[in-house]
Amino acid sequence: MPRERLMMDMRDTVVYAIGDVHGCYDELRTLEQKIEADALQFRGRKIIIMLGDYVDRGPNSRRVVEHLMAPPPEGFMRVCLAGNHEVAMLAYLDGHLSLEPWLRVGGRETLFSYGIDPDRLADLYGSSEEVVERIREAIPATHVAFMRTLPVMICSERFLFVHAGIRPGIALEAQDEADLLNIRSEFLAAAHRLDRWVVHGHTIVDVPTLDGRRLGIDTGAFQSGRLTALRIVGKYGRLLSTGE
């Protein structure tokens, strides 16, 4: 079933977009506290937009998912978009992806956060069917349901928020979901041909820098310790990050 694509009116709204968290719960809480302090200077509606990839690689995927399922900071709305890592996790749980490819992209750390050692399970049960059943039992159904319902894109008159990017030359309504979650080189090469500002994650950068009409804010928190947010008020943006 296709994921939702949302429209948003950003008038009288302060938006804080947050890059790929990847299991970095402590950094997420620290960044939220910075955002709450920063937002005190503004009136009107305040929205946090999470750009996807909450699981894998970092140490606390389970706590990140639980946190994002809970109410947002007081005075804020929060919208969480899907990333390719949530989709990969679901693909494994649904039997569409084998375990090894998921483990290679950080699934091992996710399983550890749920109290599962995949190597020990393999030793105990042998068959992949038994292993996946034990893993399905260990991951709360509410967490799986949360990941299934994540929208894939938020669009306003001037801005587009998406995990990976968009395919150049294709209307937004015709964009393929797999591109929105996974695209890299074709999108990055077309930054100067975009018809609105695109805020995205997925591709790690050391320092977020405006390139044409796109800004990538995935600063590789799981390896750098820096989780980054972009605050947008009207047409003006400012970066906030942990580790500063």
Side-chain angles (χ1 to χ4, degrees), residues 106-128:
R108 187 178 302 277
E109 290 80 5
T110 296
L111 290 176
F112 284 158
S113 78
Y114 284 95
I116 304 161
D117 182 339
D119 296 328
R120 179 161 166 71
L121 279 185
D123 289 343
L124 283 173
Y125 296 106
S127 83
S128 59

Side-chain angles (χ1 to χ4, degrees), residues 96-230:
H96 305 311
L97 181 71
S98 60
L99 184 56
E100 279 307 315
W102 181 36
L103 295 183
R104 280 199 299 273
V105 296
R108 187 178 302 277
E109 290 80 5
T110 296
L111 290 176
F112 284 158
S113 78
Y114 284 95
I116 304 161
D117 182 339
D119 296 328
R120 179 161 166 71
L121 279 185
D123 289 343
L124 283 173
Y125 296 106
S127 83
S128 59
E129 291 81 6
E130 279 286 337
V131 170
V132 74
E133 277 309 312
R134 298 288 83 78
I135 290 173
R136 284 179 186 142
E137 288 168 7
I139 297 174
T142 52
H143 291 205
V144 176
F146 168 75
M147 287 187 271
R148 288 198 197 285
T149 59
L150 299 173
V152 81
M153 180 170 76
I154 298 177
C155 186
S156 76
E157 187 179 350
R158 278 190 179 142
F159 293 92
L160 176 71
F161 301 89
V162 65
H163 177 62
I166 56 175
R167 186 165 292 279
I170 306 288
L172 286 182
E173 60 274 13
Q175 291 282 330
D176 187 272
E177 192 169 291
D179 282 336
L180 301 175
L181 293 164
N182 296 286
I183 199 168
R184 260 204 188 98
S185 55
E186 301 96 324
F187 165 63
L188 302 180
H192 294 269
R193 294 196 282 123
L194 300 169
D195 66 353
R196 68 193 73 204
W197 303 100
V198 179
V199 181
H200 66 96
H202 188 58
T203 299
I204 294 175
V205 295
D206 185 38
V207 179
T209 306
L210 201 58
D211 176 21
R213 301 194 79 179
R214 70 163 193 90
L215 184 65
I217 59 169
D218 176 8
T219 45
F222 70 95
Q223 59 190 21
S224 69
R226 283 184 296 108
L227 182 63
T228 296
L230 171 67

Side-chain angles (χ1 to χ4, degrees), residues 11-68:
R11 285 174 298 184
D12 302 315
T13 302
V14 184
V15 172
Y16 292 87
I18 297 181
D20 303 29
V21 178
H22 278 305
C24 296
Y25 173 77
D26 292 342
E27 289 82 355
L28 176 58
R29 292 293 293 118
T30 299
L31 186 58
E32 282 184 344
Q33 288 160 11
K34 285 195 166 197
I35 287 170
E36 288 180 82
D38 183 78
L40 291 173
Q41 63 189 297
F42 300 107
R43 295 169 178 257
R45 188 172 62 156
K46 298 166 186 178
I47 300 179
I48 294 172
I49 298 177
M50 307 294 303
L51 295 178
D53 279 5
Y54 315 117
V55 300
D56 297 347
R57 295 181 170 157
N60 287 312
S61 291
R62 178 178 187 145
R63 288 190 75 185
V64 168
V65 171
E66 286 171 346
H67 180 71
L68 294 177

